[in-house]
Amino acid sequence: MSAPAPSRDRLREALARALAEALDPGAAGWLASARDEVAKEPARRLPVLFPQLLRRLGAAPVVGADHPARRVEAPGLVADLAAWRRADAGAAQLVDASRAAGLGAGELRELYDHGDADERIQLMRYLPLLDDDTLALELLGEAQRSNHQELFEAAWCEHDSAARRLDEAGFNRMVLKLAFADIPLQRVPGALSRANPELSRMLCEFAQEREAAGRPVWPSTMPLLGAAPCPGAHARLLGGLEHGHDPLRLAAVQGLGRLREPDPTPALRARLPREQHPAIRRAIERALDHREASPEA
Amino acid sequence: MQPIFDPHIHMFSRVTDDYQRMHEAGVRVVLEPAFWLGQNRTSVGTFVDYFDTLLGWERHRAATFGIHHLCTMALNPREANDPRVNEAVLEVLPRYLAKNGVVGVGEVGLDDQTPVEEDFFARQVQLAIEFDLPVLVHTPHRDKLRGFTRSVDIVRESGIPMERVLLDHGNEETIKLTRELGCWSGFSLYPHTKMSPERMVAILREHGSERMIVNSAADWGVSDPLMVPRTAKLMEQEGFGADAINTLVWENPLAFFGQSGRIDRATLEQPPGIHRRELFEGNSVLRGQDPEAPLA
């Protein structure tokens, strides 16, 4: 399901405001006349103007890391504007204007199929604004089957649109691919809330493969195990307090913080005095405070 | 280290070991012209998928090795003879010529030097004029001098300014013909056949490096994707100055294909993909890089 229309409009407006601040008059002028052109003849002009976005507007982020309005939060929608390039933000405006003027789903799909790597990324970045669930799921399928990391990052990360839209099997396949690509789950807002035991099972198996190959386990495995344990999850989480590289141990503490049973409090308390890594100490303390505050959790 | 732009190389046929070695030898930009694939294609769909690969997967593959990938698009001279594909490819070509990252029309030109080849050559030069792109011309390996002369005639008849034309796969004989025409002269350097780095150095001594382009034209055949770095090294050993080398292996290809208006030097001087991990004022803008950042 796409996010509610008012939430999508909030994201639109935030992107438009940020882009207006970022563009020089020449680029802004080009974008304004491009919008007019596609509003008049969407099917004919959008394919011609779309490829020009990157060189007209540029690839710099539409907002910087310190921008006060960087995070957009609305009912059913979370997005980090800093992941949108100026070209992506401009693409959203052109696609919106074209759709308002009657551009169909088939034509939008064709724009994707005829797009080069950057144009496809621009369209993946449009997905949080797209209300057509059928087309959105088709394009998410393209992302799932792509080897191009920037493409599936654009489809899945720094917003919660994909995590919300996919059914459980699709969501699990997405997370497994993130694990393979070593992309931290923090980059997918809302993903943790969809943790499920089948996903945990898949990640435990993958963790075993990594260990057998002498390679590091994906750290985000741990919070997911804590949120939705499968057989072996508890042992893997407890083990994560004592061994593995530091990011993995930190993630294990985050996972233990979410584990309902067996109660990890004794294990966390036992680890704390021996924990030398400051961030992991803080995480253990937070996890213990959280449990004391709501002991039934 | 001298950055190198190899403006004619068929990376579609090369493995990642090549990309790795190229990067180590200083290659930072490649240009892959659309060409034939070793075996004739039988339907336009395979051209579309090949063109899309040049704009998608191959660009990504290069970027993972720190190399920018540009391309040119065209119906090549050999398959121009094939009525199963020739008109159909010309029909889809315009949408590719509009793409960012497509910085020329090529490889067009002559192969067996048939009338059909000449027709498709001339038509694609007209497309180049329409899309304001420079032209990369493949000159024949057989009956080369006649092929060069005929190519020059076709280009002249088209009305395209000569400085927007690169006549590739030249040698000591063809340079005498092309030197005074105002067009650019390309030399493809191979390990055992055709033009070699030593012969190239001799040509440079005699004719200078103005409007000269060197490339490896590496493809499925016996070829070496390190020929341009090797030539740069040989020039250094032979006493050419750093400026002269930089002109030949960096500035010249940038200048020729920059005529497309689609090349941003600043982008090419940085590693590719950097904008996707853009560091803004020293901090990663992607929040997920902080391991302590809470999960939603």
Side-chain angles (χ1 to χ4, degrees):
Chain A
M1 284 280 285
S2 61
S7 302
R8 287 184 276 117
D9 286 340
R10 283 265 298 274
L11 178 58
R12 282 190 165 91
E13 283 151 20
L15 282 167
R17 258 196 313 272
L19 188 61
E21 279 169 29
L23 290 183
D24 65 54
W30 179 86
L31 184 60
S33 69
R35 273 197 314 263
D36 288 341
E37 281 185 60
V38 301
K40 291 196 188 96
E41 297 184 275
R44 211 176 66 82
R45 294 304 292 158
L46 186 63
V48 175
L49 294 163
F50 204 73
Q52 297 183 35
L53 279 161
L54 191 63
R55 65 181 178 270
R56 298 280 188 177
L57 305 188
V62 74
V63 297
D66 303 326
H67 196 280
R70 185 179 151 176
R71 188 175 166 91
V72 173
E73 268 188 77
L77 187 151
V78 174
D80 180 349
L81 289 188
W84 269 257
R85 303 167 301 173
R86 294 173 192 187
D88 300 324
Q93 292 185 24
L94 293 191
V95 176
D96 279 343
S98 303
R99 298 199 77 222
L103 190 86
E107 286 156 328
L108 198 52
R109 177 65 211 247
E110 196 175 74
L111 189 71
Y112 177 87
D113 288 335
H114 291 179
D116 70 7
D118 283 297
E119 291 170 64
R120 290 181 178 191
I121 287 167
Q122 282 161 204
L123 285 166
M124 289 300 187
R125 286 257 160 247
Y126 184 75
L127 289 179
L129 298 171
L130 181 64
D131 55 0
D132 183 334
D133 280 334
T134 306
L135 179 59
L137 286 171
E138 270 180 35
L139 293 182
L140 288 173
E142 293 287 322
Q144 183 67 42
R145 288 184 294 275
S146 171
N147 280 359
H148 188 161
Q149 182 154 332
E150 277 98 353
L151 182 78
F152 56 79
E153 283 177 336
W156 300 337
C157 299
E158 281 79 52
H159 60 82
D160 62 350
S161 163
R164 281 179 183 279
R165 266 187 157 119
L166 293 163
D167 65 14
E168 189 167 282
F171 174 79
N172 290 354
R173 284 191 293 266
M174 176 185 87
V175 174
L176 197 60
K177 198 164 163 116
L178 291 172
F180 266 79
D182 285 307
I183 292 169
L185 199 66
Q186 281 93 334
R187 292 185 59 188
V188 187
L192 196 57
S193 65
R194 293 199 67 184
N196 60 84
E198 173 58 14
L199 177 60
S200 296
R201 184 200 63 73
M202 288 157 75
L203 291 174
C204 276
E205 276 192 20
F206 179 48
Q208 283 175 296
E209 279 180 43
R210 279 283 174 95
E211 283 160 348
R215 293 176 60 202
V217 169
W218 186 52
S220 303
T221 304
M222 297 300 205
L224 287 163
L225 295 189
C230 62
H234 179 226
R236 190 170 273 284
L237 285 163
L238 283 184
L241 274 176
E242 296 287 342
H243 57 94
H245 59 309
D246 290 339
L248 187 65
R249 296 196 308 106
L250 175 61
V253 173
Q254 290 166 343
L256 285 167
R258 293 179 184 268
L259 188 68
R260 287 173 184 267
E261 52 179 29
D263 184 358
T265 306
L268 288 165
R269 284 218 181 98
R271 179 67 199 171
L272 188 55
R274 287 176 296 111
E275 182 52 65
Q276 310 226 328
H277 193 295
I280 301 177
R281 282 190 67 88
R282 282 195 293 276
I284 296 175
E285 282 158 0
R286 267 200 304 269
L288 287 167
D289 289 343
H290 182 77
R291 296 195 90 87
E292 270 155 38
S294 39
E296 83 290 349
Chain B
M1 178 175 239
Q2 172 64 51
I4 293 193
F5 179 170
D6 187 341
H8 187 145
I9 182 167
H10 300 289
M11 295 311 300
F12 189 86
S13 67
R14 307 303 306 203
V15 296
T16 56
D17 285 2
D18 293 325
Y19 270 122
Q20 206 159 314
R21 292 184 306 137
M22 285 161 68
H23 188 267
E24 281 161 19
V27 177
R28 293 294 176 268
V29 184
V30 294
L31 185 146
E32 178 159 8
F35 206 46
W36 70 74
L37 298 184
Q39 181 163 304
N40 292 330
R41 286 168 280 204
T42 62
S43 65
V44 66
T46 58
F47 280 82
V48 165
D49 290 341
Y50 165 64
F51 292 163
D52 287 344
T53 297
L54 295 185
L55 298 174
W57 178 236
E58 202 55 53
R59 192 184 284 178
H60 169 69
R61 213 163 70 108
T64 60
F65 289 92
I67 296 177
H68 291 274
H69 183 281
L70 303 168
C71 66
T72 61
M73 291 285 179
L75 171 67
N76 64 81
R78 181 162 302 174
E79 288 170 305
N81 290 290
D82 196 330
R84 291 174 301 184
V85 299
N86 52 18
E87 286 296 345
V89 174
L90 269 264
E91 219 175 278
V92 299
L93 200 51
R95 81 163 183 260
Y96 289 98
L97 297 181
K99 297 296 186 196
N100 208 41
V102 176
V103 295
V105 171
E107 298 179 61
V108 295
L110 301 174
D111 182 47
D112 276 331
Q113 306 183 47
T114 66
V116 180
E117 287 173 21
E118 293 199 357
D119 176 49
F120 280 93
F121 181 7
R123 284 164 66 182
Q124 291 182 90
V125 177
Q126 288 308 315
L127 277 175
I129 293 171
E130 186 189 321
F131 281 86
D132 207 23
L133 292 171
V135 180
L136 170 56
V137 180
H138 168 93
T139 62
H141 297 304
R142 300 177 293 279
D143 201 8
K144 186 177 277 294
L145 201 54
R146 187 172 81 96
F148 252 85
T149 317
R150 199 64 203 112
S151 300
V152 168
D153 289 342
I154 290 169
V155 159
R156 272 215 180 105
E157 279 155 25
S158 77
I160 192 170
M162 281 312 242
E163 67 268 16
R164 296 174 77 82
V165 178
L166 168 56
L167 297 174
D168 211 339
H169 312 319
N171 60 26
E172 293 88 342
E173 294 309 305
T174 62
I175 187 69
K176 294 173 192 166
L177 170 68
T178 59
R179 204 78 193 98
E180 306 311 317
L181 295 177
C183 63
W184 290 65
S185 305
F187 298 86
S188 302
L189 307 164
Y190 292 93
H192 306 301
T193 59
K194 306 183 190 104
M195 177 61 50
S196 71
E198 289 75 15
R199 286 165 61 190
M200 192 64 227
V201 163
I203 290 176
L204 291 168
R205 279 203 207 289
E206 189 176 339
H207 297 280
S209 36
E210 200 188 328
R211 292 197 309 281
M212 301 284 240
I213 297 275
V214 293
N215 59 71
S216 68
D219 61 13
W220 290 266
V222 176
S223 46
D224 185 346
L226 298 183
M227 281 315 245
V228 181
R230 289 194 207 290
T231 303
K233 200 94 198 103
L234 184 63
M235 287 172 77
E236 195 187 7
Q237 287 160 3
E238 294 290 309
F240 284 76
D243 268 347
I245 298 171
N246 188 57
T247 296
L248 185 67
V249 304
W250 187 252
E251 292 296 330
N252 278 2
L254 274 180
F256 179 75
F257 289 102
Q259 295 180 97
S260 64
R262 296 180 190 171
I263 288 187
D264 176 39
R265 275 177 167 262
T267 301
L268 297 186
E269 282 159 9
Q270 294 236 57
I274 194 78
H275 55 259
R276 303 201 215 293
R277 301 285 181 277
E278 192 88 347
L279 296 181
F280 189 86
E281 293 167 16
N283 300 307
S284 170
V285 294
L286 297 173
R287 198 162 59 87
Q289 314 300 17
D290 172 10
E292 292 189 60
L295 290 136

